[in-house]
Amino acid sequence: MHLGADIGGTKLLLRAVAADGAVLSQRRVSTGADCPSAHLDDAIDELVDSVGQPASLGVACPGLIGSDGTVVLCDVLPQLVGWRPRALRRITSAVVVNDIRAALLTVAARQPRGDVAVVVSGTGIAAGFTHSGRVHAGADGWAGELGSVPVPDGDEVTTLDALASGASIVAQLGVPAAEVAERLSVADPVAAAVVGRAGRAFGRGLATLVNLVNPRAVVLAGGTLAYPGYVDAALEEAARHTLAPHWEACTVTVDEDPGTLVVRGAVEAGRSAAGGTGPQSRQRAGG
């Protein structure tokens, strides 16, 4: 049995998978900016205890991850800085990877020969991409900070995260994420307008990525994509601001289950670790 944990800004998603890939169990645990590392350790340990001795464990975490699995920097969950999951001492084939690199692991496996990118919009926004089948890491492993791209906001300059992320939507409306979804379900015009603006900003960020990287395929994922109107606004805006040849050469799709792409990648990272090829990542990203 293989285990995966996707640590995000609002939730920890835990999954147990059989050797044949069948999902045996899945559980969500709330996190948040003040989430202590002990809360995550307890939840992961509970999953491990429930299955006995798993074959592997992959933990996907936002932030800069050291080679020993320690969280070096994490904007969305600052209390995790210095944390190394307790379960790594219990399971030989266990690995901690950056959340976006975990997602990219799954996406790249489906298209090993082409340049592909994954863009995740959750609490924050980040991207990962490959070139000739290899992950582009950048000079210090932090390539893909799409959410930190400076963008205009009226007369001021802010970041894509501040305009288009799930955290931005929640902050603008002043309600929890679940209530945002409820308001959208009853066609609340204020909520719809905020999500539409965020989606258009996300689309401009996507256009920036496609114009710069010229990928063959882009896969979108993350919890923010579940808000009605967000993806439609993003794709319309991205098409408007991307060079026509780049847009025509690129297939942009939403992952079939965008909320679980990272945890699927975490499971695969654990499998790879069990085979002696566990990836390490040093990208900082929102989750």
Side-chain angles (χ1 to χ4, degrees):
M1 186 179 303
H2 302 276
L3 307 181
D6 165 21
I7 301 170
T10 60
K11 60 89 181 69
L12 164 63
L13 183 62
L14 299 163
R15 175 176 279 197
V17 177
D20 63 0
V23 178
L24 301 176
S25 67
Q26 184 166 291
R27 177 188 173 210
R28 293 174 65 96
V29 177
S30 296
T31 57
D34 296 327
C35 178
S37 60
H39 179 62
L40 304 180
D41 274 327
D42 290 345
I44 294 172
D45 280 348
E46 184 177 337
L47 174 65
V48 173
D49 291 340
S50 71
V51 301
Q53 185 60 38
S56 69
L57 167 67
V59 179
C61 181
L64 176 63
I65 311 300
S67 60
D68 66 345
T70 298
V71 179
V72 177
L73 186 66
C74 186
D75 290 347
V76 297
L77 295 169
Q79 292 200 43
L80 297 193
V81 174
W83 176 61
R84 184 175 184 269
R86 190 164 58 208
L88 267 63
R89 299 196 295 268
R90 303 179 56 188
I91 303 171
T92 301
S93 298
V95 63
V96 184
V97 296
N98 169 264
D99 53 357
I100 306 305
R101 295 293 169 79
L104 184 60
L105 183 66
T106 301
V107 170
R110 300 198 293 253
Q111 302 188 55
R113 292 184 176 84
D115 291 357
V116 300
V118 60
V119 182
V120 177
S121 180
T123 301
I125 296 170
F129 45 93
T130 66
H131 175 63
S132 299
R134 297 177 62 87
V135 173
H136 177 76
D140 58 4
W142 285 39
E145 267 298 293
L146 188 59
S148 296
V149 170
V151 292
D153 181 21
D155 295 331
E156 303 295 326
V157 175
T158 184
T159 65
L160 187 63
D161 269 344
L163 294 182
S165 67
S168 170
I169 292 171
V170 167
Q172 289 180 65
L173 290 173
V175 298
E179 190 171 330
V180 175
E182 292 174 5
R183 291 175 61 172
L184 290 169
S185 69
V186 296
D188 179 279
V190 176
V194 168
V195 169
R197 285 195 301 272
R200 289 190 292 276
F202 181 65
R204 292 190 291 275
L206 179 59
T208 299
L209 177 73
V210 175
N211 282 331
L212 284 173
V213 179
N214 189 209
R216 183 65 59 191
V218 176
V219 175
L220 307 179
T224 310
L225 273 60
Y227 291 145
Y230 185 86
V231 172
D232 289 342
L235 293 179
E236 182 178 344
E237 194 76 357
R240 180 179 299 119
H241 294 285
T242 304
L243 293 171
H246 284 46
W247 190 251
E248 292 167 5
C250 180
T251 300
V252 182
T253 58
V254 177
D255 185 72
E256 66 270 12
D257 190 4
T260 69
L261 180 59
V262 173
V263 76
R264 282 183 274 138
V267 170
E268 290 308 310
R271 286 180 184 267
S272 296
T277 57
Q280 294 294 337
S281 173
R282 289 174 174 260
Q283 182 186 5
R284 182 168 59 102

